Amino acid sequence: MANMEQILLEVKGLQKFFPIRRGILQRVVGQVRAVDDVTFHINQGETLSLVGESGCGKTTTSRCILRAIDPTAGEIYFRTDACEMLNIAALPESRVQPLRRCMQMIFQDPFSSLNPRMTLLDIVGEPLLVHGMTDHQERQDRVAELLQLVGMRPEYMQRFPHAFSGGQRQRIGIARALALNPRLVVADEPVSALDVSVQAQILNLLLKLQDQLGLTYLFVAHDLSVVKHISERVAVMYVGRIVEMATTEEIFGAPRHPYTEALLSSVPKPDPRLRSQRIVLEGEVADPANPPSGCYFHPRCRYATDICSEETPVQEEVETGHYVACHRAHELSLRGIARQ
Amino acid sequence: MKETTPINPESTMASSPTETLPEEFATSRAEEQIAIATQWQLMWWRFRKHKLAMAGSIILILFYIVALTVDFLAYANPYTSEAQRSLMRPQAIHWFDNGKLSPHVYGVTGARDPKTFKRVYVTDLETKISVRLFAKGFEYKWLGFIPCNIHLIGVEDTRAEETLFVLGTDVQGRDLWSRLMYGTQTSLFIGLASVVLSLILGVALGGISGYYGGIIDTIIQRIIEILRSIPTIPLWLGLAAALPGTWSVQQVYLAITLIISLLGWTELARVVRGRFLSLRQEDFVMAARLAGCGQMRIIFRHMVPSFMSHIIAAMTLALPAMIISETSLSFLGLGLRPPAISWGVLLQDAQNIQALAISPWLLIPSIPVIIAVLAFNFVGDGLRDAADPYG
């Protein structure tokens, strides 16, 4: 594709801190650094996966990008229809609103993301309605088309969400996200609440839609096998920071960060002989309200040296398109998982 | 690079719309009906299963029908007093006369006992007074503007006030049945009005508290806690004592409604706040925001319908408390005062043991209080269970 290398979204130094308030006067006594200096970009038409343990800031990052919550600092550039890069982070709410039709979200929990009191027609048609498609018939036709697109019967549009299973509800959620023809779709763990068999259906649907509509995905996940299947590039997050970012192949085949290595070793392997090689991380995930000194990962890292506890590693490009934030990235040779 | 083959080839793939319709989609008619049922239909289906609540709602409907047709149901003017008929006991209606259906009562003659000065009444078996349906009686204006004089029951030829005493009379010789009807009207409508007032207060303050949060929320919640920690009876006493004695019946009526609702809104405010807080976190609210919905649309299209049913349930549960409040205030002589008639005012006559020993029928007005409060509680219970059909 010609525009394959065109950057659609660029995030620079994104930060989101949540204040911790205590006492009667609700004084701010500390901050949870949920997202701390995150930088990445997504090219048009590709899928970038954001992986990490729960609580590492993946969801916060994705919500900041959609301006569902306001970032504390940083820049988020989004390519508008007029092909200019616009910093969404700095825009007032009123100017973000028209941009929302270009980026939409698929939610994790298909049970709470659909209003149980509205029919499919109202749920999927709502974005259309608020963006000016007031003609009922026109809206109905579009909803029918969308439902068909995600593999649902258009006759079901009079039904309420309670009539559908988790996988079907997730399809409805996808139809709603696609209603306004967005270019960027942020999928916040869209399959983690579903059965494994249904997960595959939804992932294949997402891939099919990407092909058909030329969508760009920011795919938030904690399941590496899902990530491997769907994404071109992967960014690994740990306690609010991106520790490694590279193509899927490199992340899986030749990781450069010890945390990535540990994550990969936790992927279930069908071959029992390989299971003993699992790296079990010691200790707890660092507390984002009170992170350790230096590299946040050093208390749990088996390769840590003195410098790791003293200096914060900077993100550097060790190979073309392969970014790592680790002091020892050049010396270590880490184990990935071979692709079958 | 990306894999292009599906992970799980056994599962149904979403490659074309027609392939993705598994067997489970083939639904029966009954399932189809559930699939397109609205929230209120689902609630109704669940409410219907609650037998006590269903019985309660029928009773409540009857109560409010009574409240709307009091003038028709009462056969005597509730204000007509007559010392000659003081404290008459309830009179039996005889249904048959010589084997024929002909409801009648016997005449009663009264005299004062020269030793005790108590009025004694003797049933005069000779005078039969036949009771008729839809008889003419005192003049009234139905709903305040339709002039009428038809009553459910009445007597021929003489005035009902002088001959018919279904539930007996009070000290001033006023007919208890008719007064009970009017009392029902007052008490039920004061309850309803107070609940509507507290609903307005509760929804507004609870909504503000839950929607904005932060310091506003803290202030409102502390006010609620303070209000709830004050013992109600002394507070009512204080407020009611502050009402000028010169006020007319209507003014007192309004003031009592206000007093009751000023203290009754706290529970509703808490319900509303709680719902707002939990709904703010819901994904579908965020989805609406991301879809570009304005704040008003989010509140009224997404949030309010989600807690409407909870509010109705909370209101139904709050109503009996309001009715009890009015009754106890009036019973203590601090709420409505005669000549107004309410359940509490009627029960005031039964305040001392002497009155009760001589004329136990003065306690009859407590029966509808108990029935109404129970019925409201059952209905509220059923509504609360049915309020969230998706839970």
Side-chain angles (χ1 to χ4, degrees), chain A residues 116-133:
Chain A
R117 289 158 184 85
M118 288 163 80
T119 59
L120 297 203
L121 175 62
D122 289 334
I123 290 171
V124 180
E126 185 166 49
L128 300 169
L129 179 69
V130 295
H131 279 91
M133 193 189 276

Side-chain angles (χ1 to χ4, degrees), chain A residues 258-259 281 297-304 308 332:
Chain A
Y259 180 62
L281 287 178
F297 188 57
H298 85 262
R300 304 173 77 191
C301 181
R302 46 182 202 162
Y303 307 105
C308 297
L332 297 172

